[in-house]
Amino acid sequence: YPAWDTLPFEHVSPELELTARRILSVYECQRRETWVLIVPVDALMQKVVPYSTLLLYSFSVARGQKVNRDVLLQHLDLCGFQQRARVETLGSFAVRGEVIDYFPSTQTQPLRLEFFDDEIEHIKLFDPTSQRSILEIEHTHFLPLSEKITLNSSPELPGKVIEHVLKRARELHVPTHQTHDLIRQINDGVNFPGLESFQSLLVDSLLSADTWIPRGATWIIDDHGACRESLDRNSELIEERTSRFTEERTFHVQASSL
């Protein structure tokens, strides 16, 4: 369960492979009776959208199942998949006539769904280099890839976010042009880079990792001193960046949401 590879308030999204691994870790921990999870301190303390909310977007398909393809494609988009000409990397999907290819975090190879009308005739693993099918399977499950609620997930969401942005921008005395640019992106429904850092404006509360780890789990701290140093470094970094962004009048969420 790795930490994000971004800095506090940075308008850059964490690597998709990282967030996909984190969500997959949570999913596996919930479905297995016995597991071992390695969590660095930074990842443990970081607040994210509740996984109970994110996992609502998970989806299963099976051979012979009838699926509305438009709904399925919309679901892939909400889960963070990105459309490409061909599927070669994690998180991509492609549409070719009666075929939908996509690469979920739950598989080591991409998947090919072959349709007849709205019925899934075949589900096949395929080689991302040759694009040739290598194995047919009966069913599969896919999970969200990114730890964010997207702006197009609800019609009411952009208006709610804009209200919070305007209030926060006034508190920080953010220049008008910067606020207008941000609101334009929100109104356009654009899931802009760094949207993850705005999640406290989209959901009622963010939670840290210890909230979803079962209460009966056994915790092993490898190095108490190193953990304390990591906590101190993280606090100093947040304090330094909060001061700098405030001084520069750059929009950022409250430090308490990190």
Side-chain angles (χ1 to χ4, degrees), residues 146-165:
S146 55
E147 294 173 293
K148 64 186 177 186
I149 300 299
T150 58
L151 292 168
N152 56 354
S153 62
S154 166
E156 299 82 18
L157 201 52
K160 174 184 175 182
V161 175
I162 288 173
E163 182 179 339
H164 288 310
V165 165

Side-chain angles (χ1 to χ4, degrees), residues 159-190:
K160 174 184 175 182
V161 175
I162 288 173
E163 182 179 339
H164 288 310
V165 165
L166 289 173
K167 179 181 178 181
R168 182 65 174 158
R170 286 193 295 269
E171 293 172 354
L172 297 169
H173 304 289
V174 175
T176 303
H177 72 274
Q178 185 188 134
T179 304
H180 284 174
D181 285 345
L182 185 54
I183 290 175
R184 176 181 52 78
Q185 292 182 86
I186 296 170
N187 272 326
D188 290 344
V190 176

Side-chain angles (χ1 to χ4, degrees), residues 47-249:
K47 294 179 181 177
V48 294
V49 175
Y51 287 113
S52 57
T53 300
L54 290 175
L55 291 175
L56 290 176
Y57 292 99
S58 60
F59 197 75
S60 295
V61 293
R63 193 160 67 91
Q65 180 180 347
K66 288 192 174 183
V67 178
N68 184 308
R69 276 179 288 175
D70 290 337
V71 173
L72 177 60
L73 293 174
Q74 182 183 26
H75 211 80
L76 288 170
D77 179 61
L78 289 174
C79 284
F81 288 81
Q82 299 174 337
Q83 188 164 7
R84 297 285 185 263
R86 55 187 273 160
V87 171
E88 297 175 315
T89 57
L90 174 70
S92 56
F93 77 93
V95 182
R96 296 177 290 105
E98 299 287 296
V99 174
I100 297 177
D101 292 345
Y102 69 100
F103 201 150
S105 60
T106 50
Q107 298 286 347
T108 57
Q109 301 280 354
L111 286 167
R112 176 164 293 147
L113 305 182
E114 297 178 358
F115 284 83
F116 180 75
D117 289 332
D118 283 341
E119 182 177 326
I120 299 175
E121 277 198 312
H122 303 283
I123 304 175
K124 299 176 181 178
L125 294 169
F126 69 91
D127 184 278
T129 302
S130 68
Q131 297 287 298
R132 291 187 175 184
S133 300
I134 54 178
L135 178 68
E136 182 155 6
I137 60 176
E138 290 296 315
H139 56 83
T140 186
H141 189 76
F142 68 79
L143 302 170
L145 300 173
S146 55
E147 294 173 293
K148 64 186 177 186
I149 300 299
T150 58
L151 292 168
N152 56 354
S153 62
S154 166
E156 299 82 18
L157 201 52
K160 174 184 175 182
V161 175
I162 288 173
E163 182 179 339
H164 288 310
V165 165
L166 289 173
K167 179 181 178 181
R168 182 65 174 158
R170 286 193 295 269
E171 293 172 354
L172 297 169
H173 304 289
V174 175
T176 303
H177 72 274
Q178 185 188 134
T179 304
H180 284 174
D181 285 345
L182 185 54
I183 290 175
R184 176 181 52 78
Q185 292 182 86
I186 296 170
N187 272 326
D188 290 344
V190 176
N191 295 313
F192 49 85
L195 180 60
E196 289 82 358
S197 66
F198 287 76
Q199 291 299 294
S200 62
L201 306 180
L202 279 72
V203 297
D204 293 332
S205 61
L206 302 181
L207 302 174
S208 53
D210 62 319
T211 60
W212 60 261
I213 294 176
R215 290 186 178 181
T218 299
W219 292 73
I220 300 175
I221 300 176
D222 181 55
D223 187 327
H224 285 263
C227 287
R228 172 53 60 188
E229 289 177 7
S230 183
L231 284 171
D232 291 342
R233 282 197 306 270
N234 191 49
S235 297
E236 290 171 4
L237 178 62
I238 292 174
E239 184 177 344
E240 182 273 326
R241 289 182 65 82
T242 299
S243 298
R244 181 158 67 84
F245 274 60
T246 302
E247 184 178 339
E248 295 174 353
R249 297 194 299 167

Side-chain angles (χ1 to χ4, degrees), residues 29-30 32-39 44 209-221:
C29 286
Q30 292 184 351
R32 298 186 183 191
E33 291 186 8
T34 304
W35 46 268
V36 175
L37 186 67
I38 300 174
V39 187
L44 181 65
D210 62 319
T211 60
W212 60 261
I213 294 176
R215 290 186 178 181
T218 299
W219 292 73
I220 300 175
I221 300 176

